[in-house]
Amino acid sequence: MTELVINTSPLETRIALLEDKRLTELNVERQESRSVVGNIYKGRVDAIVPGIQAAFVDTGFERNGFLYVSDIAGSEGTGDFDFVEGTARPRGRRRAPSIESMLNKNQNIMVQVAKDTLGTKGVRLTNFVTLPGRYLVLMPTVKNLGVSRKIESDKERDRLKGILKSIRPQGVGLIMRTAAEGKSKKDFESDLKYLMKEWSKAKKRMESMKAPCLIHEDLGPVLRVVRDSFTQDVQKVTVDADTEYSRILNFLDTFAPNLKKRVKLYRQRRPIFEKYGIEDEIAKALHRKVFLKSGGHICIDQTEALIAIDVNTGRYTGKKHLEDTVLKTNLDAADEIARQVRLRDLGGIIVIDFIDMQYERNKRELIKRLQDALKHDRAKTTVSEVNELGMIEMTRKRVKHNLTKTLSQTCPYCEGGGMVRSVTTITLDVMRRLQSLFCDSKEKRIILQVHPDVARRLRNEDKELLEDLSGRFEREIAVESVSDFHIHDTMILSARTRKEIPAAGGKK
């Protein structure tokens, strides 16, 4: 059972993909940070950087977009292409001409956003324009034909290639999407008519409008998911807003009338994500530790360079042999890891430390289980063999912020480290700061405000140390516990004025 659940509000749109009632993918788009992937712009080349063979293009955003020489039509000739659900990328690249020979500063160029802004980087741009429809993807800057790799039947692939050759307009390329499987030539002709009309509009705007400007905007998040993901495999779509419900039905009227009966409007007062148990799943997806059905667990740690996943047996002890226990835990972990990388939208290099196994047949079974579980993932993934350290390395393509970065922000105290200083560390630091302060200040009576745990330590275990410090410098120290202080917070006040005394070196 596969279904889409759509929750909309003025500030946020959330789209959940459920497989057998379990959350496997979540797309969150907020009004303040809307995705621009798929939008086409008339840009102006702002700078050319020969050292990295790339150009910075002004598309009207705060930061210039980034365009590699290999992403410019004509840089690769008409070689082979990879066709992956709506994208066309050169494969087996030839030696490209230099960026200086292809572009000039202040030149106008049509570009499409391939990746949203990530961190301090501007959008990633491409000149290989693609216009996705329900069944086809139009590629006006290349002349290649292709069929989605997810259509596996050779007979069906040959049929679709034959239709592509018969309907292709001169001078453009086309890709058959996965949803095209089993569809008729008539379906493709209506799809192509719509795409050629959109391309004609974009070309006219390119000729008439001044750079930088938007010349084609992709569909909004809801219709984009309906277009790309609402296939025959999806049994139900439930949406909680009348407006979006009507838009979906109008869209399907044109592209897939047979699917309209699967769309339902949710009218209950209880929030739709709470009704389906999705809110709890989202909360769990922000945790580092994920528990397995067997009783084991996995730990997911994200770093700048890669993502590390550690598998543990936890409380699962098995029934007979250690190898059986380890294999059972690893197989459960493989299924859950495949779900978590989709749900959290983890990308880049992922290193998985499975529990060591003795037998090669079990290692092969684990690799196959992980590969099978990843087949449902629309993002491109690669999986290595188990290396000599017992780890599996995999890669996954990602074009937007992962779930943790979308729904969270860096902790202002630990600054992303995931740790804060201990009570002992803070207590010792307070003692050193007091000693430095007494060397610079003549205040005789002070008030020390600290977190309750630090105050408790100073009044009990370290009471004698504090009294010794007070005696050596002939000062009076009153410790005050402040319940809303963070563990790192410390404030030293004058007992006479109750104003803060600047610490040595201006340190707080």
Side-chain angles (χ1 to χ4, degrees):
M1 176 69 178
T2 303
E3 56 185 313
L4 288 164
V5 180
I6 302 170
N7 167 230
T8 65
S9 71
L11 298 178
E12 179 184 63
T13 298
R14 300 186 297 173
I15 304 167
L17 176 67
L18 306 183
E19 293 177 355
D20 296 326
K21 304 294 183 182
R22 296 194 75 197
L23 179 64
T24 54
E25 289 184 20
L26 180 69
N27 182 23
V28 180
E29 188 160 310
R30 291 176 172 161
Q31 193 65 32
E32 63 189 27
S33 56
R34 292 187 61 186
S35 173
V36 292
V37 170
N39 288 358
I40 303 174
Y41 295 84
K42 181 177 182 177
R44 179 179 55 81
V45 178
D46 191 54
I48 295 173
V49 188
I52 55 175
Q53 284 298 292
F56 289 97
V57 181
D58 181 6
T59 52
F61 295 112
E62 183 180 348
R63 288 190 290 267
N64 287 342
F66 193 74
L67 178 67
Y68 278 110
V69 66
S70 57
D71 287 319
I72 303 173
S75 64
E76 300 294 337
T78 55
D80 293 332
F81 277 73
D82 262 338
F83 299 105
V84 186
E85 277 309 278
T87 63
R89 301 267 322 149
R91 183 177 68 231
R93 296 181 176 180
R94 304 171 185 174
R95 186 175 181 83
S98 66
I99 189 80
E100 310 97 296
S101 68
M102 303 196 72
L103 295 178
N104 298 311
K105 185 175 170 60
N106 295 322
Q107 176 183 340
N108 292 334
I109 183 173
M110 181 186 290
V111 287
Q112 187 171 35
V113 178
K115 272 188 182 181
D116 280 315
T117 299
L118 291 177
T120 58
K121 298 178 181 178
V123 293
R124 171 79 181 268
L125 302 172
T126 179
N127 181 240
F128 290 102
V129 174
T130 58
L131 289 171
R134 175 70 179 168
Y135 306 116
L136 298 172
V137 177
L138 175 66
M139 302 181 297
T141 55
V142 296
K143 299 179 182 180
N144 301 72
L145 299 177
V147 177
S148 169
R149 292 179 299 184
K150 292 191 176 182
I151 299 176
E152 297 178 352
S153 166
D154 290 336
K155 185 177 179 181
E156 179 64 4
R157 293 179 68 86
D158 290 340
R159 182 185 77 88
L160 293 175
K161 285 178 183 177
I163 294 175
L164 279 179
K165 291 176 182 177
S166 67
I167 67 172
R168 174 174 66 168
Q170 188 174 2
V172 302
L174 292 172
I175 301 173
M176 281 287 188
R177 308 191 71 178
T178 306
E181 190 168 11
K183 297 299 177 183
S184 67
K185 182 177 179 180
K186 185 178 178 181
D187 294 320
F188 306 140
E189 287 174 336
S190 60
D191 209 24
L192 181 58
K193 183 179 179 182
Y194 163 77
L195 294 175
M196 290 300 293
K197 186 177 179 181
E198 291 298 305
W199 173 237
S200 178
K201 289 179 185 176
K203 284 197 298 182
K204 286 178 181 177
R205 289 172 183 154
M206 179 71 185
E207 293 167 1
S208 62
M209 298 177 72
K210 185 178 179 181
C213 65
L214 174 69
I215 60 176
H216 172 80
E217 187 172 14
D218 199 10
L219 297 174
V222 173
L223 292 186
R224 192 163 61 238
V225 167
V226 170
R227 179 193 68 195
D228 297 342
S229 302
F230 190 14
T231 63
Q232 294 293 341
D233 295 331
V234 179
Q235 285 80 34
K236 187 179 177 184
V237 174
T238 310
V239 58
D240 65 355
D242 291 281
T243 306
E244 294 297 342
Y245 176 70
S246 299
R247 284 178 181 166
I248 292 171
L249 293 183
N250 290 336
F251 180 84
L252 293 175
D253 260 335
T254 304
F255 295 101
N258 60 310
L259 295 178
K260 287 176 64 177
K261 61 181 179 294
R262 302 188 188 184
V263 183
K264 308 295 179 186
L265 177 62
Y266 182 81
R267 297 183 180 275
Q268 297 181 30
R269 289 190 174 184
R270 178 174 292 184
I272 188 170
F273 270 30
E274 185 180 327
K275 173 74 174 178
Y276 279 81
I278 298 171
E279 295 291 7
D280 290 339
E281 289 291 322
I282 295 173
K284 290 177 184 176
L286 297 176
H287 292 170
R288 174 177 176 267
K289 184 180 289 188
V290 180
F291 291 95
L292 306 174
K293 291 180 181 178
S294 63
H297 64 266
I298 61 175
C299 293
I300 303 173
D301 293 297
Q302 301 184 44
T303 72
E304 288 293 326
L306 53 81
I307 292 156
I309 302 178
D310 186 38
V311 181
N312 300 282
T313 56
R315 58 184 173 81
Y316 178 62
T317 56
K319 295 180 178 179
K320 292 184 179 180
H321 305 293
L322 174 62
E323 184 77 3
D324 294 337
T325 302
V326 169
L327 177 61
K328 168 66 173 159
T329 304
N330 280 341
L331 293 178
D332 282 353
D335 291 336
E336 188 60 34
I337 288 168
R339 186 176 83 95
Q340 289 294 328
V341 296
R342 290 174 66 192
L343 174 56
R344 301 180 188 223
D345 199 14
L346 303 177
I349 300 171
I350 302 171
V351 178
I352 309 169
D353 186 10
F354 284 102
I355 306 168
D356 289 340
M357 293 183 294
Q358 183 178 354
Y359 302 119
E360 286 299 323
R361 67 173 183 272
N362 290 343
K363 295 179 182 179
R364 289 194 297 271
E365 184 178 352
L366 175 61
I367 291 287
K368 185 176 185 305
R369 182 70 160 261
L370 181 59
Q371 290 173 334
D372 289 344
L374 288 168
K375 284 181 179 179
H376 301 287
D377 195 343
R378 288 177 295 150
K380 184 179 180 181
T381 59
T382 61
V383 179
S384 73
E385 296 294 324
V386 180
N387 64 24
E388 62 272 15
L389 300 176
M391 298 181 183
I392 290 177
E393 296 174 13
M394 64 172 282
T395 62
R396 183 176 184 273
K397 186 177 180 181
R398 177 175 57 82
V399 296
K400 58 184 173 59
H401 286 298
N402 64 43
L403 190 65
T404 301
K405 291 184 178 178
T406 299
L407 301 182
S408 309
Q409 65 182 29
T410 302
C411 171
Y413 297 105
C414 71
E415 297 180 343
M419 305 286 283
V420 294
R421 284 178 286 171
S422 66
V423 173
T424 301
T425 301
I426 297 296
T427 303
L428 293 171
D429 184 55
V430 166
M431 301 288 279
R432 286 189 289 267
R433 287 175 60 184
L434 286 173
Q435 186 170 341
S436 295
L437 179 71
F438 293 159
C439 291
D440 297 334
S441 172
K442 296 180 180 180
E443 284 287 343
K444 291 295 184 181
R445 298 171 58 241
I446 67 162
I447 299 170
L448 177 64
Q449 293 184 335
V450 290
H451 183 273
D453 290 346
V454 179
R456 196 175 302 113
R457 175 76 181 250
L458 289 168
R459 289 169 181 159
N460 295 291
E461 295 101 308
D462 296 328
K463 182 180 179 181
E464 290 184 5
L465 291 176
L466 192 63
E467 289 175 348
D468 177 66
L469 182 65
S470 175
R472 279 191 290 126
F473 286 91
E474 298 180 346
R475 310 293 171 99
E476 291 183 22
I477 305 171
V479 179
E480 285 187 2
S481 170
V482 184
S483 59
D484 59 354
F485 266 23
H486 185 270
I487 188 92
H488 290 179
D489 291 342
T490 303
M491 191 170 287
I492 303 173
L493 309 177
S494 164
R496 178 172 47 86
T497 63
R498 288 198 70 86
K499 290 184 178 180
E500 185 176 7
I501 304 171
K507 182 180 177 183
K508 276 195 172 185

